[in-house]
Amino acid sequence: MSIPTPDVIDLLAGVEPGSALDRVRAQRPQTREQAQKSYLALFQPGDPAEVALRERHAVASFVAGLHRQPDVFEFYAAPLEDQAGGTWLVEVLKAEIGVAQTTGPYGRYPAGPLTREDQQGPTYRASAAGHETLGPRLAAALEHAHLLVFHPRDAKAEALQALLDAGWTTTGIVTLSQLVSFVAFQVRVIAALTIVAGTTKRAAA
């Protein structure tokens, strides 16, 4: 008999059954359920197919690091530690996050009234040392993840071609983009719940 996977957002946000945060999440049962189903589909797929589990966890760790969420980083990095060479991979990911962290979002709007909000920002490229451990495929995935997190308006055909050139398939690119989007969503929900928890504690004091 399989053991059900704990609700990951509850786990990372420290939501206890019956708590005030539990009641907050219970107000949106479909959102709660769909978020957990998305996690299972992305990180416990029946067939990893185009994107290996190692790649999924590495990219998720990187995205969590870009959002400055150490607990989420550790959650996704932990399975990598159990693999051959995993400890070194995690250290490389930490180093790449240090290089890649910035603010944002950056990018350009099409010519028009919104162009006044255009903002230039750094473009991340994996370091030479990082490339040796990551390989071209995973290095390209991290660069694409950074683009989606910090330069969403600049995602163009050239960015997709870089992934194809590194060995990604169209299906793999879709999964990769879904994964980046999901972890970003997960981080925002956890951050919001943390704020609610802090407000609730102060009100009760």
Side-chain angles (χ1 to χ4, degrees):
M1 181 177 179
S2 61
I3 300 174
T5 302
D7 185 287
V8 174
I9 290 178
D10 284 354
L11 178 67
L12 291 171
V15 178
E16 298 291 341
S19 66
L21 285 183
D22 189 29
R23 292 191 292 273
V24 169
R25 294 212 71 202
Q27 293 175 12
R28 300 285 185 93
Q30 289 185 331
T31 301
R32 193 179 205 174
E33 180 183 1
Q34 290 303 317
Q36 182 67 2
K37 285 183 176 179
S38 295
Y39 167 78
L40 294 173
L42 288 167
F43 295 98
Q44 296 184 19
D47 179 7
E50 308 289 343
V51 187
L53 293 178
R54 174 180 176 273
E55 294 172 325
R56 293 171 191 245
H57 280 271
V59 172
S61 301
F62 183 73
V63 173
L66 294 182
H67 284 90
R68 296 176 169 82
Q69 292 289 325
D71 290 344
V72 183
F73 172 87
E74 292 297 338
F75 175 80
Y76 284 115
L80 297 172
E81 300 273 8
D82 298 330
Q83 302 176 10
T87 300
W88 178 239
L89 173 59
V90 171
E91 292 305 311
V92 169
L93 287 170
K94 289 179 180 178
E96 293 301 311
I97 289 167
V99 172
Q101 274 186 339
T102 183
T103 53
Y106 305 112
R108 293 175 174 272
Y109 285 102
L114 290 177
T115 54
R116 64 177 179 272
E117 297 183 17
D118 288 355
Q119 185 176 358
Q120 292 186 338
T123 299
Y124 162 73
R125 290 290 179 263
S127 67
H131 259 285
E132 292 185 14
T133 299
L134 300 170
R137 181 179 161 96
L138 189 49
L142 299 191
E143 292 171 358
H144 188 68
H146 189 275
L147 179 73
L148 296 181
V149 171
F150 291 117
H151 291 266
R153 299 194 295 271
D154 294 333
K156 297 182 174 65
E158 293 85 350
L160 299 180
Q161 187 60 51
L163 288 170
L164 293 170
D165 292 344
W168 288 86
T169 64
T170 302
T171 300
I173 292 171
V174 171
T175 300
L176 173 63
S177 299
Q178 289 173 333
L179 190 152
V180 173
S181 177
F182 173 74
V183 175
F185 159 78
Q186 205 176 40
V187 163
R188 288 194 297 270
V189 173
I190 292 167
L193 289 171
T194 301
I195 293 172
V196 171
T199 302
T200 302
K201 286 181 180 179
R202 287 193 295 271

